[in-house]
Amino acid sequence: QQQVKQSPQSLIVQKGGIPIINCAYENTAFDYFPWYQQFPGKGPALLIAIRPDVSEKKEGRFTISFNKSAKQFSLHIMDSQPGDSATYFCAASKGGGGNKLTFGTGTQLKVEL
Amino acid sequence: DTAVSQTPKYLVTQMGNDKSIKCEQNLGHDTMYWYKQDSKKFLKIMFSYNNKELIINETVPNRFSPKSPDKAHLNLHINSLELGDSAVYFCASSQASGYTFGSGTRLTVV
């Protein structure tokens, strides 16, 4: 049972483009939605996170949009760069960032010159 | 200084062997985890400890036994290794602001 569904599985954009990665969750008890970025040979690293009381959060070039009624959230990367090429995971948890995370299946992003 | 460190980084072993992976965090976090990342990069929680006590065991075969001697350490021992155990194993620690992952241990069972 996949509680957090993520799409697309892979994505190729040109430098400067705006890749969008989408996630949908089932458990309405989830109240913390982070995004993690993973480079080859490294562990996932927290990129940005949102709670359901806001519909959007922006940190630098990364923006999360959150739609509570649809149980969906997405990551937008503005002015994407080749250095953004990585695997991105959405996740969800109950009770905050220190609790058990359920991860999406990951999106492999490649930003081409 | 590395926040969450795992050793070894690579582990190649034969079926049937027993092996251990060690993890240490210097962040002062109370909660530590083991996650398994398969060949399709899917991350699945295996165990979670809070201040040395097991709080999550996600139906992992009992060949896998975590041990937490203190809240800064969480080790993973695997008995009778099988081909299907080949994966990358990540240790992590957490507080309210989120998780910090180690760099992973790539286990290959041949």
Side-chain angles (χ1 to χ4, degrees), chain A residues 4-21:
Chain A
V4 180
K5 295 182 180 177
Q6 184 172 346
S7 63
Q9 190 174 347
S10 62
L11 188 53
I12 301 174
V13 299
Q14 297 297 308
K15 179 175 179 289
I18 305 176
I20 300 173
I21 305 170

Side-chain angles (χ1 to χ4, degrees), chain A residues 61-79:
Chain A
R61 297 184 293 107
F62 300 92
T63 299
I64 301 179
S65 297
F66 187 82
N67 185 329
K68 188 174 180 178
S69 60
K71 294 188 287 184
Q72 294 175 348
F73 58 110
S74 59
L75 176 71
H76 301 230
I77 306 175
M78 305 301 175
D79 187 27

Side-chain angles (χ1 to χ4, degrees), chain B residues 3 8 14 21 28-29 33 37 40 49 54 67 81 83 101:
Chain B
Q14 290 188 325
I21 306 172
H29 294 170
Y33 307 82
Q37 187 170 49
K40 295 184 179 178
Y49 271 73
L54 179 67
K67 280 194 172 51
L81 277 155
L83 292 176
F101 281 86

Side-chain angles (χ1 to χ4, degrees), chain A residues 3-91:
Chain A
Q3 290 197 54
V4 180
K5 295 182 180 177
Q6 184 172 346
S7 63
Q9 190 174 347
S10 62
L11 188 53
I12 301 174
V13 299
Q14 297 297 308
K15 179 175 179 289
I18 305 176
I20 300 173
I21 305 170
N22 300 299
C23 284
Y25 63 97
E26 297 168 5
N27 190 341
T28 54
F30 287 147
D31 60 2
Y32 174 78
F33 303 90
W35 285 88
Y36 280 78
Q37 180 187 56
Q38 185 181 24
F39 292 106
K42 302 290 186 186
L46 179 63
L47 196 57
I48 185 173
I50 197 168
R51 293 187 184 274
D53 52 345
V54 296
S55 59
E56 186 176 280
K57 184 173 180 181
K58 190 177 289 190
E59 283 185 8
R61 297 184 293 107
F62 300 92
T63 299
I64 301 179
S65 297
F66 187 82
N67 185 329
K68 188 174 180 178
S69 60
K71 294 188 287 184
Q72 294 175 348
F73 58 110
S74 59
L75 176 71
H76 301 230
I77 306 175
M78 305 301 175
D79 187 27
S80 58
Q81 302 296 314
D84 296 329
S85 298
T87 301
Y88 291 82
F89 293 92
C90 62

Side-chain angles (χ1 to χ4, degrees), chain A residues 36 38 89 98-101, chain B residues 33 35 37 58 94-95 99:
Chain A
Y36 280 78
Q38 185 181 24
F89 293 92
N99 293 340
K100 171 190 166 185
L101 282 176
Chain B
Y33 307 82
Y35 274 81
Q37 187 170 49
E58 288 283 314
S94 74
Q95 60 179 24
Y99 279 36

